[in-house]
Amino acid sequence: EVQLVESGGGLVQPGGSLSLSCAASGFDFRNYAMSWVRQAPGKGLEWVATINNPDVGRTTMYRSSVKGRFTISRDDDKNTLDLQLNNLGTNDTGIYYCARDPKGRQRGQGTQVVVSS
């Protein structure tokens, strides 16, 4: 059974930072590109970032609004996916999901990020 378990969300002030993590199990993690998607209150799922698998050099891609502020990374020995969020703004508020696909069709239960003063 595929399991994706996110952690690390919380409340942070604008300009602050958070580190999210996702523990993956039940599939061959190193064979998959992995993504983070998010859902702001009252809105649909939105792709945030993708990291390719080791065979493709772990190359990364970001949506334009987070480029330079967020960093996606993976540890293929520990089967974990991380997202470092820096210089957070109120528009970054939402539930963040670890996913096996960029559209988030197969995702975890999510971790909530609230950016507020």
Side-chain angles (χ1 to χ4, degrees):
E1 178 189 1
V2 173
Q3 286 198 327
L4 300 166
V5 180
E6 301 91 338
S7 61
L11 172 63
V12 62
Q13 291 187 341
S17 297
L18 280 175
S19 294
L20 308 183
S21 190
C22 170
S25 62
F27 65 102
D28 196 352
F29 181 77
R30 64 175 53 244
N31 283 344
Y32 282 81
M34 295 294 296
S35 298
W36 286 94
V37 299
R38 68 185 179 187
Q39 186 168 25
K43 296 188 177 181
L45 279 175
E46 169 180 274
W47 170 75
V48 174
T50 295
I51 184 166
N52 281 315
N53 64 26
D55 291 343
V56 197
R58 298 187 182 90
T59 51
T60 57
M61 293 163 282
Y62 299 92
R63 73 179 297 108
S64 58
S65 62
V66 309
K67 192 175 290 187
R69 300 188 298 122
F70 291 8
T71 302
I72 188 171
S73 60
R74 63 190 294 159
D75 186 327
D76 294 292
D77 292 325
K78 296 181 179 179
N79 287 4
T80 56
L81 178 73
D82 296 321
L83 186 68
Q84 177 67 35
L85 295 71
N86 295 329
N87 193 21
L88 284 160
T90 55
N91 287 343
D92 295 315
T93 292
I95 301 174
Y96 283 69
Y97 300 92
C98 165
R100 288 211 305 179
D101 64 283
K103 293 189 176 181
R105 285 170 295 196
Q106 194 159 31
R107 62 186 185 271
Q109 85 290 346
T111 186
Q112 188 165 36
V113 172
V114 178
V115 185
S116 175
S117 56

